[in-house]
Amino acid sequence: MKTYRKELWFNTEKRFSFVLITEKVSQALKESGIKEGLCLVNAMHITASVFINDNESGLHKDYYKWLEKLAPFSVDGYEHNVGEDNGDAHLKRQIMGREVVVAVTNNILDLGPWEQIFYGEFDGRRDKRVLIKIIGE
Amino acid sequence: MKTYRKELWFNTEKRFSFVLITEKVSQALKESGIKEGLCLVNAMHITASVFINDNESGLHKDYYKWLEKLAPFSVDGYEHNVGEDNGDAHLKRQIMGREVVVAVTNNILDLGPWEQIFYGEFDGRRDKRVLIKIIGE
Amino acid sequence: MKTYRKELWFNTEKRFSFVLITEKVSQALKESGIKEGLCLVNAMHITASVFINDNESGLHKDYYKWLEKLAPFSVDGYEHNVGEDNGDAHLKRQIMGREVVVAVTNNILDLGPWEQIFYGEFDGRRDKRVLIKIIGE
């Protein structure tokens, strides 16, 4: 069995953004030399997500509006916000999820035709990480 | 280490449906011959889910109403809907999730007493796939 | 390849509670002797979650209020509630998720600085289980 570990670092300009990372995960998989197995990609921070969906800007705006409606930004609206203002970001991340697990087949990410991997940031403008861990052989 | 890969295909009659797939995943596990490991089951499409919950028709109606309330179908209500009408389906799928990872113990899906695996379709009436990838030995 | 399996049991005093389990998962990992691999932690019941977020009591109150707003407890409000009263718990669990997959690196749970693993109970006061399955070598 082989394993491979890699971190990706982000520091987004905006509080809320989605960053396409499929190519970077694919690159890590190539580096690993693993042909068959599983690839875990997870946010290492609790106000961010890794998720799979469509690379379409209209949809990303829909996600922004929808998440803002379900869990609005509010400095005073959360008990978590004592010396913090990111209570909403912890909620948004639960909707979008912490991680994805992607099948590895023949050294390729075994994704459907429209599946793209994104880093979802809900409290950006600081250094944050994603972990890639691949196991297989 | 062994790995096994199988696709399941669906073409649901309705836009929204849940399809019980525990038996099919269990069958794939038997075919794999893998006794101990992990089994990933994921939607390969971004308007569908694989999730685990109860096989109870009342609950499935509750999910339908609830998802429709949180992310209503609307031709005009989403920026994604330019030549599309499935913006809501991309949102619903994030609530229900893309994938499940199930433990494999003694060649059996190591599920709790009421856990059943479902394909969740939010934009059906077309051919769509689920991927099963099992690794272990 | 090695695998390790362990169950954790819970019987919470309240209907809704979060229980910190990072230490118990870490202990299971030590027992396994697995240095590199993946660790699956999942609720075996369909009205409970395993999730990763912050160990901060204000945030946990925010989650409670938020989940109660998105999927309110209601004896009469769900079709599932025929001889049951836990329809809301099945919905809440989909928001918070069934499982987490954590990377294992050098026999340690490869978590970010604030990541803590929780058991999320939405219909407690009965015996329920979490499954830990670790694979690797």
Side-chain angles (χ1 to χ4, degrees):
Chain A
M1 215 195 72
K2 282 185 191 175
T3 65
Y4 188 76
R5 180 192 193 279
K6 189 174 190 176
E7 290 179 4
L8 306 177
W9 284 83
F10 302 88
N11 188 326
T12 63
E13 264 181 63
K14 294 187 181 169
R15 198 180 164 79
F16 187 110
S17 27
F18 291 166
V19 184
L20 181 64
I21 59 171
T22 315
E23 231 7 88
K24 288 188 173 170
V25 180
S26 203
Q27 176 59 31
L29 177 54
K30 284 201 183 74
E31 290 159 17
S32 76
I34 291 170
K35 287 196 173 154
E36 296 289 323
L38 294 177
C39 175
L40 167 69
V41 191
N42 69 267
M44 297 188 82
H45 296 260
I46 52 192
T47 50
S49 288
V50 170
F51 68 94
I52 285 178
N53 218 295
D54 201 356
N55 187 22
E56 198 278 300
S57 63
L59 179 65
H60 293 190
K61 287 175 198 160
D62 292 328
Y63 276 128
Y64 174 75
K65 280 191 258 180
W66 182 62
L67 291 168
E68 207 52 43
K69 193 179 152 205
L70 292 183
F73 173 76
S74 165
V75 176
D76 300 327
Y78 298 101
E79 302 209 25
H80 181 59
N81 288 352
V82 178
E84 304 248 21
D85 67 359
N86 65 3
D88 66 304
H90 290 270
L91 276 48
K92 286 171 170 123
R93 113 76 169 258
Q94 290 307 123
I95 300 269
M96 297 304 279
R98 168 187 178 260
E99 79 215 12
V100 296
V101 178
V102 179
V104 171
T105 304
N106 204 18
N107 196 232
I108 285 172
L109 295 170
D110 200 338
L111 296 168
W114 300 99
E115 286 194 300
Q116 295 286 345
I117 310 174
F118 289 90
Y119 174 65
E121 176 62 85
F122 309 114
D123 183 32
R125 302 174 298 188
R126 64 190 78 188
D127 290 335
K128 288 163 89 170
R129 282 177 292 163
V130 158
L131 178 62
I132 302 170
K133 184 92 184 190
I134 311 167
I135 79 168
E137 66 178 19
Chain B
M1 215 194 71
K2 281 185 190 175
T3 65
Y4 188 76
R5 181 192 194 278
K6 188 175 190 175
E7 290 179 4
L8 305 178
W9 284 83
F10 301 89
N11 190 325
T12 63
E13 263 182 62
K14 295 188 181 168
R15 196 179 167 78
F16 186 110
S17 27
F18 291 167
V19 185
L20 180 64
I21 60 171
T22 314
E23 229 10 86
K24 288 187 173 169
V25 180
S26 202
Q27 175 60 31
L29 177 54
K30 284 201 183 75
E31 290 160 17
S32 76
I34 291 171
K35 286 197 175 155
E36 297 290 325
L38 294 177
C39 175
L40 168 69
V41 191
N42 70 266
M44 297 188 82
H45 297 260
I46 53 193
T47 50
S49 289
V50 171
F51 68 93
I52 285 179
N53 217 296
D54 200 357
N55 186 21
E56 198 280 302
S57 63
L59 179 66
H60 294 189
K61 287 176 198 160
D62 292 327
Y63 276 128
Y64 174 76
K65 279 190 258 181
W66 182 61
L67 291 167
E68 206 52 42
K69 192 179 151 203
L70 292 183
F73 173 75
S74 164
V75 175
D76 301 327
Y78 298 99
E79 302 209 25
H80 181 60
N81 289 351
V82 179
E84 304 250 20
D85 66 1
N86 65 4
D88 66 303
H90 291 270
L91 276 49
K92 287 171 170 122
R93 113 75 170 259
Q94 290 307 122
I95 300 269
M96 297 304 279
R98 168 185 178 261
E99 79 217 9
V100 296
V101 178
V102 179
V104 171
T105 303
N106 203 17
N107 195 232
I108 285 172
L109 295 171
D110 200 340
L111 296 168
W114 300 99
E115 287 195 297
Q116 295 286 345
I117 310 173
F118 289 91
Y119 174 65
E121 176 62 85
F122 310 115
D123 183 33
R125 299 173 299 189
R126 64 191 76 187
D127 290 336
K128 288 163 89 170
R129 282 178 292 163
V130 158
L131 178 62
I132 302 169
K133 185 91 183 191
I134 310 167
I135 78 168
E137 65 179 19
Chain C
M1 215 194 72
K2 280 185 191 176
T3 65
Y4 188 75
R5 180 192 194 278
K6 189 174 188 175
E7 291 180 3
L8 305 178
W9 284 83
F10 301 89
N11 189 325
T12 64
E13 263 182 62
K14 293 187 182 170
R15 197 180 165 79
F16 186 110
S17 27
F18 290 167
V19 184
L20 180 64
I21 60 171
T22 314
E23 231 7 89
K24 287 188 174 171
V25 179
S26 203
Q27 176 60 31
L29 177 54
K30 283 201 182 74
E31 290 160 16
S32 77
I34 291 170
K35 286 197 175 153
E36 297 289 324
L38 295 177
C39 174
L40 167 69
V41 191
N42 69 267
M44 298 188 82
H45 296 260
I46 52 191
T47 51
S49 287
V50 171
F51 68 94
I52 285 178
N53 217 295
D54 201 355
N55 186 22
E56 198 279 301
S57 63
L59 179 66
H60 294 189
K61 286 175 198 160
D62 292 327
Y63 276 128
Y64 174 75
K65 279 190 259 180
W66 182 61
L67 291 167
E68 206 52 43
K69 193 180 151 203
L70 292 183
F73 173 75
S74 165
V75 175
D76 300 328
Y78 298 101
E79 302 210 24
H80 181 59
N81 288 351
V82 178
E84 304 249 20
D85 67 0
N86 66 3
D88 67 303
H90 290 271
L91 277 47
K92 287 172 170 120
R93 114 72 170 259
Q94 290 307 123
I95 300 268
M96 298 304 279
R98 168 186 179 261
E99 79 216 9
V100 296
V101 178
V102 179
V104 171
T105 303
N106 203 20
N107 194 233
I108 284 172
L109 295 170
D110 200 339
L111 296 168
W114 300 99
E115 287 194 298
Q116 295 286 346
I117 311 174
F118 289 91
Y119 174 63
E121 175 63 85
F122 309 115
D123 183 31
R125 299 175 299 187
R126 64 191 76 187
D127 290 336
K128 288 162 89 170
R129 281 178 292 163
V130 158
L131 178 62
I132 302 170
K133 184 92 184 192
I134 310 167
I135 79 168
E137 66 179 17

